Every structure is written in structure tokens, then in C-alpha cells.
Amino acid sequence: MQECVAIKANWPISVQFTRALTLAFYAPKTAKMCKILPLFVLAVVVACCHGLPVESEREPVAILSSEINKKANGGYDTQYSGADGTSRKEQADLVDEGTDEEALEVKGSYKYINDLGEEVEVFYTAGKNGFVPYGTSINPEITAVAEAAKNLPKQVKVEKA
């Protein structure tokens, strides 16, 4: 008759768990310890799962208003407002229409309530020259760098002969 091999306390927990499972399924069924081991492993698994953090379900947020208006040239206007204080407004206009430089220029803002209960509002522009955020919650240095990038010389395409 074979005896169950002990699980050493100084082994990493993953090795201990693997060893316990191995012993539970492959050890001789006549040894008393091996009869209790599957129950012990099950108890450990249940205890570990019970200790995992569970995020409580959040209540759905009512949408107070939502509107999207598409323009014939590809631009748009959109706005959204939620009961929790969140909102978003955005306007996109086509610039340099019909040229190689044609692009959408976007201006907008979004607002939310942070964990401290403070209202945070961020304004932004986006277009050929990139994304530029500004507002009280945006580090002024980030806005300054983004604004400066707008004025960088544009890349000139060189056609190969």
C-alpha cells in the first residue's frame, strides 16, 4: 500500500495546490489522508473564491438627451446628457473641401463628476494639427505643447520623377 506524500509548507502556493490536486486524483484510495484530501482541496478553493473582491452592480444611468445631426459634406453635430451629470458636445466641420488638404476640424467638450464629487469639464479641438485638450483639469503644459505643435511646419510631399 502506498502512502500519500506530504505537501511541504515552504513550497509555492501554486505547487502546493497542484500537488494537492494530483494527490487527490492519483493517490491510493485506501489511505485515510487521501480520502480527506479532496474535501480539503475543495474547501481551500471555495475559501479562495469567496475572498475575491466583487464589484457591486451599478445602477443604469438615465439618458436625458442624445442627438446626432449629420451634414451632407461629412461634418456633424452631436450632444449627449446623462442623469449622473455627464455630458458631451461635439461639432465637426469639413475644411479645405475639395482639396488634398480636406479634413474634419472638431471642437467639443465633455463633462463628468469625479470621485471627489467635483465637476470636471474638458474642452478640446482636433484636426489636421492633432488633438489639443484644455480645461482646469488638464495640465497647462500639455495644452501648451499641443498648441505649439499646431504651428509646426507642415510636411511637404515630394513627388518622385
Side-chain angles (χ1 to χ4, degrees):
M1 175 169 89
Q2 293 180 343
E3 292 183 24
C4 289
V5 178
I7 297 173
K8 297 185 179 182
N10 62 349
W11 288 353
I13 190 72
S14 59
V15 173
Q16 291 178 24
F17 183 73
T18 304
R19 183 71 177 152
L21 285 177
T22 303
L23 290 173
F25 292 109
Y26 298 111
K29 301 297 180 198
T30 57
K32 290 181 182 178
M33 181 64 181
C34 291
K35 289 181 180 178
I36 297 173
L37 193 56
L39 294 175
F40 175 73
V41 170
L42 180 63
V44 169
V45 170
V46 169
C48 290
C49 291
H50 182 69
L52 294 175
V54 178
E55 186 174 324
S56 61
E57 283 191 36
R58 296 182 184 180
E59 285 289 321
V61 176
I63 297 173
L64 302 178
S65 66
S66 178
E67 186 177 333
I68 299 173
N69 299 311
K70 296 180 181 179
K71 300 176 185 176
N73 66 358
Y76 62 88
D77 295 316
T78 184
Q79 69 86 22
Y80 161 88
S81 178
D84 62 351
T86 59
S87 67
R88 175 180 169 223
K89 293 179 184 176
E90 189 171 284
Q91 176 184 346
D93 293 309
L94 191 63
V95 295
D96 299 329
E97 191 171 354
T99 69
D100 288 343
E101 299 293 316
E102 183 176 288
L104 281 177
E105 290 288 330
V106 180
K107 294 178 183 176
S109 67
Y110 60 90
K111 183 175 20 173
Y112 64 94
I113 308 299
N114 68 14
D115 293 337
L116 302 173
E118 303 165 335
E119 184 178 89
V120 177
E121 189 165 17
V122 176
F123 298 90
Y124 59 89
T125 60
K128 293 186 224 180
N129 299 317
F131 180 79
V132 181
Y134 53 97
T136 56
S137 64
I138 303 294
N139 186 330
E141 293 172 358
I142 293 173
T143 302
V145 169
E147 284 287 340
K150 283 179 148 181
N151 300 322
L152 292 175
K154 293 183 181 178
Q155 220 174 17
V156 178
K157 293 180 183 178
V158 178
E159 293 183 24
K160 295 180 181 177

